[in-house]
Amino acid sequence: MTEPQWLDEDAGPIVRPYALTGGRTRSSGDDFDLISIVTAVEGRRADEGPLGPEQRRILVIAREPMSVADIASEIDLPLGVVRVLLGDLHDHELISVRPPAQVAPLPSERILKEVINGLRAL
């Protein structure tokens, strides 16, 4: 009988995402938009709380402003896991999160109808 293999030569040790979040699927970071900008707070020490290696890595790469989606891509973890980790960092006041910039309001229906009518007249 062969032993189960917990190590993949190409991928390295296998760690399930729920192990990284302590089994949590939600945190205060669930409201982070994919394009919210995350920045590590200067002057705060990363050793002020019980942080895992993934959270420490987030703090290193978030020294420069970076979106939530880019952070997930950079550390190669699922977005849900990254949101939980970011929520913990935000709760410890180690990161600041800026919502995405507001886009210009959409034109009114009246203006769109006038444009359509103008195009039809051509």
Side-chain angles (χ1 to χ4, degrees):
M1 183 165 135
T2 37
E3 298 241 349
Q5 193 172 11
W6 292 100
L7 182 69
D8 181 325
E9 290 180 15
D10 294 331
I14 299 170
V15 177
R16 298 286 182 212
Y18 63 83
L20 299 175
T21 62
R24 296 173 297 142
T25 58
R26 296 191 176 272
S27 77
S28 61
D30 285 335
D31 294 334
F32 295 155
D33 193 284
L34 287 175
I35 57 175
S36 293
I37 302 299
V38 176
T39 309
V41 175
E42 290 188 34
R44 298 294 307 226
R45 294 181 43 174
D47 58 358
E48 291 181 3
L51 301 179
E54 293 79 14
Q55 289 170 314
R56 292 183 196 283
R57 187 157 177 229
I58 290 171
L59 289 174
V60 168
I61 63 176
R63 288 180 183 155
E64 297 292 322
M66 186 174 278
S67 73
V68 172
D70 288 337
I71 290 172
S73 174
E74 182 75 24
I75 64 173
D76 196 27
L77 287 175
L79 184 61
V81 171
V82 171
R83 283 182 169 162
V84 172
L85 297 176
L86 288 173
D88 293 344
L89 291 171
H90 191 259
D91 292 344
H92 285 49
E93 298 178 349
L94 294 171
I95 60 169
S96 65
V97 181
R98 189 177 70 228
Q102 293 290 332
V103 295
L106 295 174
S108 71
E109 185 178 338
R110 180 186 59 79
I111 291 176
L112 292 175
K113 285 182 180 179
E114 287 178 19
V115 168
I116 291 172
N117 291 337
L119 290 172
R120 284 184 185 153
L122 293 174

mmCIF file with all atom_site columns, all heavy atoms in Angstrom, residues 19-37:
data_model
loop_
_atom_site.group_PDB
_atom_site.id
_atom_site.type_symbol
_atom_site.label_atom_id
_atom_site.label_alt_id
_atom_site.label_comp_id
_atom_site.label_asym_id
_atom_site.label_entity_id
_atom_site.label_seq_id
_atom_site.pdbx_PDB_ins_code
_atom_site.Cartn_x
_atom_site.Cartn_y
_atom_site.Cartn_z
_atom_site.occupancy
_atom_site.B_iso_or_equiv
_atom_site.pdbx_formal_charge
_atom_site.auth_seq_id
_atom_site.auth_comp_id
_atom_site.auth_asym_id
_atom_site.auth_atom_id
_atom_site.pdbx_PDB_model_num
ATOM 1   N N   . ALA A 1 19 ? -6.605  26.579 5.766  1.00 0.00 ? 19 ALA A N   1
ATOM 2   C CA  . ALA A 1 19 ? -5.579  26.536 6.812  1.00 0.00 ? 19 ALA A CA  1
ATOM 3   C C   . ALA A 1 19 ? -4.929  27.905 6.981  1.00 0.00 ? 19 ALA A C   1
ATOM 4   O O   . ALA A 1 19 ? -4.535  28.282 8.083  1.00 0.00 ? 19 ALA A O   1
ATOM 5   C CB  . ALA A 1 19 ? -4.525  25.490 6.485  1.00 0.00 ? 19 ALA A CB  1
ATOM 6   N N   . LEU A 1 20 ? -4.829  28.661 5.904  1.00 0.00 ? 20 LEU A N   1
ATOM 7   C CA  . LEU A 1 20 ? -4.228  29.993 5.960  1.00 0.00 ? 20 LEU A CA  1
ATOM 8   C C   . LEU A 1 20 ? -5.121  30.993 6.683  1.00 0.00 ? 20 LEU A C   1
ATOM 9   O O   . LEU A 1 20 ? -4.632  31.972 7.237  1.00 0.00 ? 20 LEU A O   1
ATOM 10  C CB  . LEU A 1 20 ? -3.934  30.504 4.546  1.00 0.00 ? 20 LEU A CB  1
ATOM 11  C CG  . LEU A 1 20 ? -2.968  29.673 3.709  1.00 0.00 ? 20 LEU A CG  1
ATOM 12  C CD1 . LEU A 1 20 ? -2.880  30.237 2.300  1.00 0.00 ? 20 LEU A CD1 1
ATOM 13  C CD2 . LEU A 1 20 ? -1.611  29.626 4.357  1.00 0.00 ? 20 LEU A CD2 1
ATOM 14  N N   . THR A 1 21 ? -6.424  30.757 6.650  1.00 0.00 ? 21 THR A N   1
ATOM 15  C CA  . THR A 1 21 ? -7.364  31.699 7.253  1.00 0.00 ? 21 THR A CA  1
ATOM 16  C C   . THR A 1 21 ? -7.948  31.181 8.555  1.00 0.00 ? 21 THR A C   1
ATOM 17  O O   . THR A 1 21 ? -8.858  31.797 9.105  1.00 0.00 ? 21 THR A O   1
ATOM 18  C CB  . THR A 1 21 ? -8.523  31.995 6.281  1.00 0.00 ? 21 THR A CB  1
ATOM 19  O OG1 . THR A 1 21 ? -9.234  30.781 6.025  1.00 0.00 ? 21 THR A OG1 1
ATOM 20  C CG2 . THR A 1 21 ? -8.023  32.602 4.998  1.00 0.00 ? 21 THR A CG2 1
ATOM 21  N N   . GLY A 1 22 ? -7.457  30.055 9.039  1.00 0.00 ? 22 GLY A N   1
ATOM 22  C CA  . GLY A 1 22 ? -7.987  29.496 10.278 1.00 0.00 ? 22 GLY A CA  1
ATOM 23  C C   . GLY A 1 22 ? -9.409  28.990 10.104 1.00 0.00 ? 22 GLY A C   1
ATOM 24  O O   . GLY A 1 22 ? -10.191 28.993 11.043 1.00 0.00 ? 22 GLY A O   1
ATOM 25  N N   . GLY A 1 23 ? -9.754  28.580 8.898  1.00 0.00 ? 23 GLY A N   1
ATOM 26  C CA  . GLY A 1 23 ? -11.096 28.064 8.628  1.00 0.00 ? 23 GLY A CA  1
ATOM 27  C C   . GLY A 1 23 ? -12.128 29.135 8.353  1.00 0.00 ? 23 GLY A C   1
ATOM 28  O O   . GLY A 1 23 ? -13.279 28.833 8.062  1.00 0.00 ? 23 GLY A O   1
ATOM 29  N N   . ARG A 1 24 ? -11.733 30.397 8.421  1.00 0.00 ? 24 ARG A N   1
ATOM 30  C CA  . ARG A 1 24 ? -12.687 31.487 8.185  1.00 0.00 ? 24 ARG A CA  1
ATOM 31  C C   . ARG A 1 24 ? -12.862 31.735 6.703  1.00 0.00 ? 24 ARG A C   1
ATOM 32  O O   . ARG A 1 24 ? -11.919 31.625 5.933  1.00 0.00 ? 24 ARG A O   1
ATOM 33  C CB  . ARG A 1 24 ? -12.208 32.775 8.856  1.00 0.00 ? 24 ARG A CB  1
ATOM 34  C CG  . ARG A 1 24 ? -12.149 32.653 10.359 1.00 0.00 ? 24 ARG A CG  1
ATOM 35  C CD  . ARG A 1 24 ? -11.514 33.862 11.006 1.00 0.00 ? 24 ARG A CD  1
ATOM 36  N NE  . ARG A 1 24 ? -10.138 33.943 10.537 1.00 0.00 ? 24 ARG A NE  1
ATOM 37  C CZ  . ARG A 1 24 ? -9.525  35.086 10.264 1.00 0.00 ? 24 ARG A CZ  1
ATOM 38  N NH1 . ARG A 1 24 ? -10.138 36.232 10.384 1.00 0.00 ? 24 ARG A NH1 1
ATOM 39  N NH2 . ARG A 1 24 ? -8.271  35.089 9.847  1.00 0.00 ? 24 ARG A NH2 1
ATOM 40  N N   . THR A 1 25 ? -14.066 32.057 6.322  1.00 0.00 ? 25 THR A N   1
ATOM 41  C CA  . THR A 1 25 ? -14.328 32.420 4.932  1.00 0.00 ? 25 THR A CA  1
ATOM 42  C C   . THR A 1 25 ? -14.708 33.891 4.812  1.00 0.00 ? 25 THR A C   1
ATOM 43  O O   . THR A 1 25 ? -14.814 34.408 3.714  1.00 0.00 ? 25 THR A O   1
ATOM 44  C CB  . THR A 1 25 ? -15.457 31.571 4.328  1.00 0.00 ? 25 THR A CB  1
ATOM 45  O OG1 . THR A 1 25 ? -16.637 31.748 5.114  1.00 0.00 ? 25 THR A OG1 1
ATOM 46  C CG2 . THR A 1 25 ? -15.064 30.109 4.283  1.00 0.00 ? 25 THR A CG2 1
ATOM 47  N N   . ARG A 1 26 ? -14.924 34.546 5.932  1.00 0.00 ? 26 ARG A N   1
ATOM 48  C CA  . ARG A 1 26 ? -15.298 35.960 5.929  1.00 0.00 ? 26 ARG A CA  1
ATOM 49  C C   . ARG A 1 26 ? -14.501 36.704 6.996  1.00 0.00 ? 26 ARG A C   1
ATOM 50  O O   . ARG A 1 26 ? -14.152 36.147 8.014  1.00 0.00 ? 26 ARG A O   1
ATOM 51  C CB  . ARG A 1 26 ? -16.786 36.145 6.212  1.00 0.00 ? 26 ARG A CB  1
ATOM 52  C CG  . ARG A 1 26 ? -17.672 35.563 5.148  1.00 0.00 ? 26 ARG A CG  1
ATOM 53  C CD  . ARG A 1 26 ? -19.115 36.026 5.372  1.00 0.00 ? 26 ARG A CD  1
ATOM 54  N NE  . ARG A 1 26 ? -19.949 35.549 4.295  1.00 0.00 ? 26 ARG A NE  1
ATOM 55  C CZ  . ARG A 1 26 ? -20.136 36.208 3.163  1.00 0.00 ? 26 ARG A CZ  1
ATOM 56  N NH1 . ARG A 1 26 ? -19.556 37.359 2.966  1.00 0.00 ? 26 ARG A NH1 1
ATOM 57  N NH2 . ARG A 1 26 ? -20.908 35.731 2.217  1.00 0.00 ? 26 ARG A NH2 1
ATOM 58  N N   . SER A 1 27 ? -14.257 37.954 6.722  1.00 0.00 ? 27 SER A N   1
ATOM 59  C CA  . SER A 1 27 ? -13.636 38.844 7.699  1.00 0.00 ? 27 SER A CA  1
ATOM 60  C C   . SER A 1 27 ? -14.080 40.249 7.359  1.00 0.00 ? 27 SER A C   1
ATOM 61  O O   . SER A 1 27 ? -14.897 40.452 6.469  1.00 0.00 ? 27 SER A O   1
ATOM 62  C CB  . SER A 1 27 ? -12.108 38.733 7.642  1.00 0.00 ? 27 SER A CB  1
ATOM 63  O OG  . SER A 1 27 ? -11.619 39.432 6.530  1.00 0.00 ? 27 SER A OG  1
ATOM 64  N N   . SER A 1 28 ? -13.479 41.210 8.020  1.00 0.00 ? 28 SER A N   1
ATOM 65  C CA  . SER A 1 28 ? -13.835 42.594 7.708  1.00 0.00 ? 28 SER A CA  1
ATOM 66  C C   . SER A 1 28 ? -13.386 42.975 6.297  1.00 0.00 ? 28 SER A C   1
ATOM 67  O O   . SER A 1 28 ? -13.785 43.996 5.770  1.00 0.00 ? 28 SER A O   1
ATOM 68  C CB  . SER A 1 28 ? -13.207 43.546 8.724  1.00 0.00 ? 28 SER A CB  1
ATOM 69  O OG  . SER A 1 28 ? -11.796 43.431 8.682  1.00 0.00 ? 28 SER A OG  1
ATOM 70  N N   . GLY A 1 29 ? -12.561 42.126 5.649  1.00 0.00 ? 29 GLY A N   1
ATOM 71  C CA  . GLY A 1 29 ? -12.067 42.413 4.315  1.00 0.00 ? 29 GLY A CA  1
ATOM 72  C C   . GLY A 1 29 ? -12.985 41.977 3.201  1.00 0.00 ? 29 GLY A C   1
ATOM 73  O O   . GLY A 1 29 ? -12.655 42.144 2.033  1.00 0.00 ? 29 GLY A O   1
ATOM 74  N N   . ASP A 1 30 ? -14.145 41.415 3.529  1.00 0.00 ? 30 ASP A N   1
ATOM 75  C CA  . ASP A 1 30 ? -15.039 40.935 2.484  1.00 0.00 ? 30 ASP A CA  1
ATOM 76  C C   . ASP A 1 30 ? -15.597 42.058 1.618  1.00 0.00 ? 30 ASP A C   1
ATOM 77  O O   . ASP A 1 30 ? -16.050 41.820 0.514  1.00 0.00 ? 30 ASP A O   1
ATOM 78  C CB  . ASP A 1 30 ? -16.196 40.142 3.081  1.00 0.00 ? 30 ASP A CB  1
ATOM 79  C CG  . ASP A 1 30 ? -15.761 38.771 3.531  1.00 0.00 ? 30 ASP A CG  1
ATOM 80  O OD1 . ASP A 1 30 ? -14.768 38.252 2.996  1.00 0.00 ? 30 ASP A OD1 1
ATOM 81  O OD2 . ASP A 1 30 ? -16.415 38.212 4.420  1.00 0.00 ? 30 ASP A OD2 1
ATOM 82  N N   . ASP A 1 31 ? -15.549 43.273 2.130  1.00 0.00 ? 31 ASP A N   1
ATOM 83  C CA  . ASP A 1 31 ? -16.087 44.393 1.365  1.00 0.00 ? 31 ASP A CA  1
ATOM 84  C C   . ASP A 1 31 ? -15.046 45.035 0.454  1.00 0.00 ? 31 ASP A C   1
ATOM 85  O O   . ASP A 1 31 ? -15.342 45.991 -0.233 1.00 0.00 ? 31 ASP A O   1
ATOM 86  C CB  . ASP A 1 31 ? -16.661 45.448 2.313  1.00 0.00 ? 31 ASP A CB  1
ATOM 87  C CG  . ASP A 1 31 ? -17.875 44.924 3.064  1.00 0.00 ? 31 ASP A CG  1
ATOM 88  O OD1 . ASP A 1 31 ? -18.547 44.014 2.540  1.00 0.00 ? 31 ASP A OD1 1
ATOM 89  O OD2 . ASP A 1 31 ? -18.141 45.419 4.173  1.00 0.00 ? 31 ASP A OD2 1
ATOM 90  N N   . PHE A 1 32 ? -13.815 44.499 0.471  1.00 0.00 ? 32 PHE A N   1
ATOM 91  C CA  . PHE A 1 32 ? -12.777 45.071 -0.383 1.00 0.00 ? 32 PHE A CA  1
ATOM 92  C C   . PHE A 1 32 ? -13.116 44.798 -1.841 1.00 0.00 ? 32 PHE A C   1
ATOM 93  O O   . PHE A 1 32 ? -13.310 43.672 -2.248 1.00 0.00 ? 32 PHE A O   1
ATOM 94  C CB  . PHE A 1 32 ? -11.407 44.465 -0.082 1.00 0.00 ? 32 PHE A CB  1
ATOM 95  C CG  . PHE A 1 32 ? -10.879 44.767 1.295  1.00 0.00 ? 32 PHE A CG  1
ATOM 96  C CD1 . PHE A 1 32 ? -9.974  43.915 1.886  1.00 0.00 ? 32 PHE A CD1 1
ATOM 97  C CD2 . PHE A 1 32 ? -11.264 45.888 1.993  1.00 0.00 ? 32 PHE A CD2 1
ATOM 98  C CE1 . PHE A 1 32 ? -9.467  44.176 3.148  1.00 0.00 ? 32 PHE A CE1 1
ATOM 99  C CE2 . PHE A 1 32 ? -10.766 46.166 3.258  1.00 0.00 ? 32 PHE A CE2 1
ATOM 100 C CZ  . PHE A 1 32 ? -9.865  45.307 3.835  1.00 0.00 ? 32 PHE A CZ  1
ATOM 101 N N   . ASP A 1 33 ? -13.178 45.853 -2.617 1.00 0.00 ? 33 ASP A N   1
ATOM 102 C CA  . ASP A 1 33 ? -13.404 45.736 -4.049 1.00 0.00 ? 33 ASP A CA  1
ATOM 103 C C   . ASP A 1 33 ? -12.122 45.209 -4.688 1.00 0.00 ? 33 ASP A C   1
ATOM 104 O O   . ASP A 1 33 ? -11.034 45.405 -4.165 1.00 0.00 ? 33 ASP A O   1
ATOM 105 C CB  . ASP A 1 33 ? -13.741 47.126 -4.600 1.00 0.00 ? 33 ASP A CB  1
ATOM 106 C CG  . ASP A 1 33 ? -14.284 47.062 -6.000 1.00 0.00 ? 33 ASP A CG  1
ATOM 107 O OD1 . ASP A 1 33 ? -13.468 46.849 -6.920 1.00 0.00 ? 33 ASP A OD1 1
ATOM 108 O OD2 . ASP A 1 33 ? -15.495 47.227 -6.174 1.00 0.00 ? 33 ASP A OD2 1
ATOM 109 N N   . LEU A 1 34 ? -12.245 44.549 -5.829 1.00 0.00 ? 34 LEU A N   1
ATOM 110 C CA  . LEU A 1 34 ? -11.069 44.018 -6.519 1.00 0.00 ? 34 LEU A CA  1
ATOM 111 C C   . LEU A 1 34 ? -10.056 45.097 -6.864 1.00 0.00 ? 34 LEU A C   1
ATOM 112 O O   . LEU A 1 34 ? -8.857  44.836 -6.908 1.00 0.00 ? 34 LEU A O   1
ATOM 113 C CB  . LEU A 1 34 ? -11.488 43.316 -7.813 1.00 0.00 ? 34 LEU A CB  1
ATOM 114 C CG  . LEU A 1 34 ? -12.181 41.981 -7.665 1.00 0.00 ? 34 LEU A CG  1
ATOM 115 C CD1 . LEU A 1 34 ? -12.640 41.488 -9.035 1.00 0.00 ? 34 LEU A CD1 1
ATOM 116 C CD2 . LEU A 1 34 ? -11.268 40.976 -7.025 1.00 0.00 ? 34 LEU A CD2 1
ATOM 117 N N   . ILE A 1 35 ? -10.545 46.301 -7.100 1.00 0.00 ? 35 ILE A N   1
ATOM 118 C CA  . ILE A 1 35 ? -9.636  47.368 -7.504 1.00 0.00 ? 35 ILE A CA  1
ATOM 119 C C   . ILE A 1 35 ? -9.371  48.372 -6.387 1.00 0.00 ? 35 ILE A C   1
ATOM 120 O O   . ILE A 1 35 ? -8.799  49.437 -6.630 1.00 0.00 ? 35 ILE A O   1
ATOM 121 C CB  . ILE A 1 35 ? -10.124 48.066 -8.795 1.00 0.00 ? 35 ILE A CB  1
ATOM 122 C CG1 . ILE A 1 35 ? -11.529 48.616 -8.611 1.00 0.00 ? 35 ILE A CG1 1
ATOM 123 C CG2 . ILE A 1 35 ? -10.023 47.136 -9.973 1.00 0.00 ? 35 ILE A CG2 1
ATOM 124 C CD1 . ILE A 1 35 ? -12.026 49.413 -9.800 1.00 0.00 ? 35 ILE A CD1 1
ATOM 125 N N   . SER A 1 36 ? -9.772  48.034 -5.150 1.00 0.00 ? 36 SER A N   1
ATOM 126 C CA  . SER A 1 36 ? -9.405  48.871 -4.011 1.00 0.00 ? 36 SER A CA  1
ATOM 127 C C   . SER A 1 36 ? -7.886  48.875 -3.896 1.00 0.00 ? 36 SER A C   1
ATOM 128 O O   . SER A 1 36 ? -7.232  47.869 -4.149 1.00 0.00 ? 36 SER A O   1
ATOM 129 C CB  . SER A 1 36 ? -10.010 48.331 -2.719 1.00 0.00 ? 36 SER A CB  1
ATOM 130 O OG  . SER A 1 36 ? -11.407 48.445 -2.730 1.00 0.00 ? 36 SER A OG  1
ATOM 131 N N   . ILE A 1 37 ? -7.338  49.998 -3.498 1.00 0.00 ? 37 ILE A N   1
ATOM 132 C CA  . ILE A 1 37 ? -5.888  50.149 -3.399 1.00 0.00 ? 37 ILE A CA  1
ATOM 133 C C   . ILE A 1 37 ? -5.439  49.922 -1.953 1.00 0.00 ? 37 ILE A C   1
ATOM 134 O O   . ILE A 1 37 ? -5.937  50.558 -1.034 1.00 0.00 ? 37 ILE A O   1
ATOM 135 C CB  . ILE A 1 37 ? -5.438  51.546 -3.881 1.00 0.00 ? 37 ILE A CB  1
ATOM 136 C CG1 . ILE A 1 37 ? -5.895  51.781 -5.327 1.00 0.00 ? 37 ILE A CG1 1
ATOM 137 C CG2 . ILE A 1 37 ? -3.931  51.704 -3.745 1.00 0.00 ? 37 ILE A CG2 1
ATOM 138 C CD1 . ILE A 1 37 ? -5.336  50.797 -6.325 1.00 0.00 ? 37 ILE A CD1 1
#
